[in-house]
Amino acid sequence: MFFTYLRRELRRRRKTAFVVASGLALGIALVIVVGSVSAGMGRAQDKVLESLYGLGTDMTVTKAAAPPGANDTGRGPRFEFDAKDSGDDQEQSSDRVLVQGFQTLASSTVAEVADQDGVADAVGGLSLQVLKVSGEFKRGEIEKAQPAQPAQPGGAGGGEGRVRGGGAAFGVDSFSVYGTDVTEPALGPLTSSRITAGRTFTEAETDAKVAVVDSAYAKEKKLGIGENITVSGTPYKVVGIATAESADAAANVYLPLAQAQTLADVKGKITTVYVRATDSQHIDDVKTAVRKNIPGTTVTTSADLAATVSGSLSTATDLAASVGKWLSVTVLAAAFLVAGLLTSSAVSRRVQEFGTLKALGWKSGRVTRQVVGEALANGLLGGALGIAVGVGCAYLVTAISPTLTAQLGGGGGGGGGAAATVTGPGGGMGGPLRQATGKAVDIALTAPVSLTTVGLAVALAVAGGLIAGGFGGWRASRLRPADALRRVA
Amino acid sequence: MYQLKGVTKRYRRGKDTIDALAGVDLTIEDGGRLVIQGPTGGGKSTLLQMLGGLDRPTTGSVELDGVDLAALPEARLTRVRAESIGFVFQSFNLIPTLTARENVETALVPLGLKAADRRERAAAALDSVGLGERLTHLPGEMSGGQQQRVAIARALVKRPKVLLADEPTGNLDESMRDEIMELLEGLWREHGLTFVMVTHDSALARRAPRLATIRKGRVTVTENAAAS
């Protein structure tokens, strides 16, 4: 009888049922869309951060940037070339291996960081920049005014002759090298890339002359597996090609850490410690502990990085978090209220019906259950409609995949030097962020609908039905049969 | 048997107090038939509601088979209504979305019968009022007389001891009125019910062996030896 009565009443009051269900559906669809788009933005941000950090890294530790001082002026590398004898315009080249940011930490910092509470794992990395300057000088020709006078090399000449032509043509080739801890392949800069050809380092290759090359760089330099790449005069065998999962790779070339340290002549030094926390909920605690216990370091968490993300991704995330959330809450609250009032109003119109049932011996509880059952069915109908619309919209967003741009960092990059002197990037942030400042990453937005979101929608539908049923049921339960029958007499 | 002693019912309407019943003493024997008549607002329906356990008196007692309905807790009073009292209303009070049989079944729901038993008894009750062919019809598809028959079947399907009817022919034309009255009187005789009916209709009142006239909340009972 319960279900027969319920079904017939819903059919009889289908307009009211439709209004109530539509209101709830709108609210629930909004919750699904906002929830799924927010999840999509979260994923997009994670992808952006992963491109900097690699998978599994919760924070990086770098040496705190020293304030600029008088000594900084001479920190850039200098390239010196000999002026050769007359007629010798052979190409000359010179390269320098520089530590990114000129700031290093002792390798022992890795162990210190690993000892902190809440740290699951820590590995060191050394970020280098290789600069190669190559070219040739060309001597100038002396135009003789008086053939008796000898030429003076390099001079502007006296009154006896003039130098014409001559000069220098030099090119600068720069690429990045990352020294990685091959014994910890699950953490570090290489985790932001996928090996697409060859292999990664083996744990035995701690000091081997092998390299993994980023696919874009390998393509540019036409490097293949088994070929050699020369870094500062040392040949390394390419064993793998790595492709960045998103955005840019952490480096052009990856070498075993010990090899990178040798190249840069910084034995026992690293630039970055990659840290994985035991619990993602306590990252801030770990950050505080590291900063307190290991002075002179800068700790950068993914939250710090996320805070530096700007551009349309950031704007959309803010919109979803603020406007979307409040819009959903407002529409849901309005839908619940309308559903409640309509159900309550329906009970008012049915006082004779409920009074008669009570006169026939129906308990108040049974009448209330009937009212709540109808409202709940309305809620579930609205929920189903809302889930269908919400999931449809979410799939539409995923199908369209609008592109959002994430601008990383706030412009902390320093300027390049002039001619053959190069100054490294500055800025206060450390680690990957220091390398990524000003980098723009395009991310396609998706709107994944999780089971949790669908579960939330069902819960909201049930809640909406119960709230509406609560309004109506409360009124129905308070009806006294005599009053109900008297009112219609 | 009903025994009402000193029953008063006082309503407050704004600052005014209305005595719908002002000390009613009344006895109705088992199987008896009583018609309540009186002017509008005289307290007829209020008295019927006291008899049906739909309302409680302000003072006094309403005993049905020795049990004071006025003092019963709500749950037990609901049970008495479900088991012992059948109601017929002037405007039929059928549920418009349910078929004739389902409407009759609503009276059996509180008794906790199985669905199959409910259906069987409802069909038999409708058959007994001449609507055996109309089981699946909705109220809107039936005439006023047929709807009142469904309401009568609903009142009697639980085999109550008491049948209370509030203006059962008030919404029917004259020919239908007689038809329904003959049906009610026939069922009263057949089932040995205690039958109490409120009516404005003096012609119907004259057919009852006992007539209770109620004015300003006071009841005067007269016997009608000529009535069958």
Side-chain angles (χ1 to χ4, degrees):
Chain A
M1 178 56 77
F2 175 83
F3 289 107
T4 305
Y5 193 10
L6 189 151
R7 199 177 62 244
R8 299 278 175 78
E9 285 302 322
L10 286 182
R11 198 182 300 166
R12 175 189 172 193
R13 292 170 221 284
R14 51 180 169 262
K15 275 188 188 168
T16 308
F18 183 73
V19 169
V20 172
S22 299
L24 288 173
L26 181 64
I28 287 166
L30 261 175
V31 167
I32 290 179
V33 171
V34 170
S36 55
V37 167
S38 294
M41 284 168 188
R43 276 192 191 181
Q45 276 202 338
D46 288 348
K47 275 200 161 190
V48 172
L49 300 180
E50 272 172 26
S51 73
L52 301 177
Y53 260 170
L55 281 169
T57 303
D58 293 317
M59 65 185 77
T60 57
V61 179
T62 52
K63 188 172 176 65
N71 295 336
D72 291 349
T73 50
R75 292 203 309 182
R78 290 190 65 78
F79 295 83
E80 292 176 358
F81 298 96
D82 288 335
K84 302 285 182 176
D85 292 337
S86 175
D88 184 3
D89 40 355
Q90 210 173 20
E91 183 178 295
Q92 299 184 57
S93 72
S94 178
D95 55 21
R96 295 285 184 276
V97 180
L98 309 170
V99 173
Q100 283 275 14
F102 306 102
Q103 303 278 353
T104 55
L105 295 162
S107 293
S108 58
T109 312
V110 177
E112 285 181 69
V113 171
D115 284 345
Q116 303 302 311
D117 285 342
V119 173
D121 204 358
V123 300
L126 179 65
S127 181
L128 305 174
Q129 191 72 26
V130 179
L131 285 168
K132 185 175 183 180
V133 178
S134 51
E136 70 276 331
F137 289 102
K138 190 174 183 185
R139 282 177 173 273
E141 299 287 328
I142 297 173
E143 200 174 68
K144 294 176 180 174
Q146 295 175 345
Q149 291 291 326
Q152 292 187 10
E160 297 139 2
R162 295 177 63 188
V163 177
R164 287 211 176 262
F170 282 84
V172 179
D173 182 26
S174 165
F175 62 97
S176 56
V177 172
Y178 221 115
T180 65
D181 186 343
V182 298
T183 61
E184 294 273 5
L187 198 58
L190 248 180
T191 54
S192 62
S193 296
R194 184 166 45 93
I195 300 294
T196 47
R199 62 172 177 83
T200 187
F201 301 112
T202 65
E203 291 190 18
E205 292 172 329
T206 49
D207 199 16
K209 288 192 168 46
V210 289
V212 171
V213 182
D214 174 61
S215 57
Y217 188 70
K219 192 176 175 186
E220 182 191 329
K221 299 293 176 186
K222 298 184 173 59
L223 289 167
I225 302 293
E227 293 179 22
N228 281 341
I229 177 172
T230 303
V231 182
S232 191
T234 308
Y236 290 89
K237 186 180 175 188
V238 177
V239 295
I241 303 291
T243 303
E245 293 282 12
S246 62
D248 293 342
N252 299 124
V253 179
Y254 302 89
L255 299 177
L257 180 58
Q259 282 295 324
Q261 288 169 332
T262 305
L263 281 173
D265 197 20
V266 285
K267 285 278 183 194
K269 300 284 185 184
I270 54 168
T271 52
T272 310
V273 183
Y274 289 78
V275 183
R276 180 166 57 230
T278 50
D279 183 352
S280 61
Q281 302 297 314
H282 297 120
I283 287 173
D284 283 343
D285 297 340
V286 177
K287 177 181 178 176
T288 306
V290 172
R291 287 173 67 178
K292 183 181 167 194
N293 300 330
I294 310 173
T297 54
T298 295
V299 183
T300 310
T301 65
S302 39
D304 298 329
L305 284 181
T308 70
V309 174
S310 58
S312 58
L313 173 61
S314 176
T315 309
T317 306
D318 291 347
L319 269 177
S322 53
V323 179
K325 187 173 79 181
W326 287 112
L327 184 66
S328 305
V329 168
T330 307
V331 170
L332 262 180
F336 284 2
L337 189 68
V338 168
L341 291 176
L342 284 175
T343 308
S344 184
S345 153
V347 169
S348 298
R349 287 196 301 273
R350 294 167 72 187
V351 284
Q352 182 194 44
E353 188 175 319
F354 296 136
T356 303
L357 290 173
K358 286 191 172 184
L360 293 176
W362 282 44
K363 291 179 185 167
S364 286
R366 188 184 290 276
V367 174
T368 302
R369 276 200 298 280
Q370 196 69 41
V371 173
V372 173
E374 288 172 21
L376 201 56
N378 258 341
L380 291 176
L381 197 69
L385 203 63
I387 288 170
V389 172
V391 170
C393 289
Y395 275 114
L396 200 64
V397 170
T398 305
I400 295 170
S401 292
T403 303
L404 298 175
T405 304
Q407 192 76 33
L408 300 167
T421 303
V422 177
T423 306
M429 304 296 280
L433 184 63
R434 185 151 54 194
Q435 298 156 34
T437 43
K439 187 162 76 174
V441 180
D442 286 341
I443 297 280
L445 177 67
T446 58
V449 181
S450 65
L451 276 179
T452 311
T453 307
V454 174
L456 176 69
V458 172
L460 286 172
V462 171
L466 287 176
I467 288 171
F471 271 79
W474 178 75
R475 289 206 62 176
S477 70
R478 284 170 57 89
L479 275 177
R480 293 170 62 232
D483 291 340
L485 296 172
R486 192 179 295 129
R487 233 195 279 190
V488 294
Chain B
M1 186 176 78
Y2 272 115
Q3 195 146 34
L4 282 70
K5 291 177 188 166
V7 173
T8 65
K9 183 66 183 179
R10 188 166 290 166
Y11 296 108
R12 283 200 168 276
R13 192 167 292 170
K15 289 180 181 175
D16 299 330
T17 303
I18 297 164
D19 287 316
L21 298 175
V24 174
D25 295 309
L26 181 67
T27 301
I28 308 169
E29 297 292 337
D30 282 346
R33 182 175 156 208
L34 176 76
V35 166
I36 303 171
Q37 205 182 16
T40 301
K44 304 185 298 291
S45 293
T46 303
L47 179 58
L48 200 73
Q49 283 164 4
M50 297 295 159
L51 294 171
L54 298 177
D55 207 350
R56 295 173 193 270
T58 307
T59 59
S61 62
V62 181
E63 289 185 9
L64 174 62
D65 295 335
V67 176
D68 185 5
L69 302 183
L72 279 184
E74 193 57 41
R76 280 196 61 196
L77 193 58
T78 301
R79 193 76 199 158
V80 170
R81 286 201 300 267
E83 290 174 351
S84 307
I85 303 171
F87 290 95
V88 177
F89 303 98
Q90 179 179 354
S91 49
F92 326 132
N93 292 19
L94 299 178
I95 294 168
T97 52
L98 300 182
T99 63
R101 183 165 65 187
E102 288 160 352
N103 262 290
V104 175
E105 278 186 60
T106 57
L108 299 174
V109 167
L111 302 182
L113 297 181
K114 286 181 181 171
D117 291 344
R118 283 204 313 259
R119 278 196 291 273
E120 194 179 319
R121 279 176 64 171
L126 283 167
D127 197 41
S128 72
V129 296
L131 291 176
E133 306 295 316
R134 300 267 182 165
L135 301 183
T136 57
H137 284 224
L138 293 171
E141 298 165 348
M142 292 187 279
S143 69
Q146 286 169 330
Q147 287 186 55
Q148 194 60 298
R149 282 167 184 266
V150 174
I152 291 167
R154 182 179 64 186
L156 298 177
V157 70
K158 59 190 172 190
R159 295 161 196 155
K161 291 189 64 171
V162 178
L163 178 63
L164 303 176
D166 191 359
E167 302 269 12
T169 58
N171 280 357
L172 304 176
D173 61 33
E174 204 165 314
S175 65
M176 200 59 74
R177 179 195 71 180
D178 292 340
E179 197 180 296
I180 291 296
M181 275 317 297
E182 278 166 24
L183 174 67
L184 284 171
E185 285 166 0
L187 291 168
W188 164 59
R189 281 193 204 93
E190 185 185 338
H191 296 292
L193 298 165
T194 302
F195 179 26
V196 181
M197 180 175 79
V198 167
T199 184
H200 272 108
D201 192 330
S202 297
L204 292 183
R206 281 195 293 273
R207 292 164 69 152
R210 286 181 84 207
L211 176 65
T213 306
I214 186 163
R215 282 179 197 279
K216 294 184 178 174
R218 296 192 179 278
V219 172
T220 312
V221 178
T222 53
E223 305 289 332
N224 181 9
S228 54

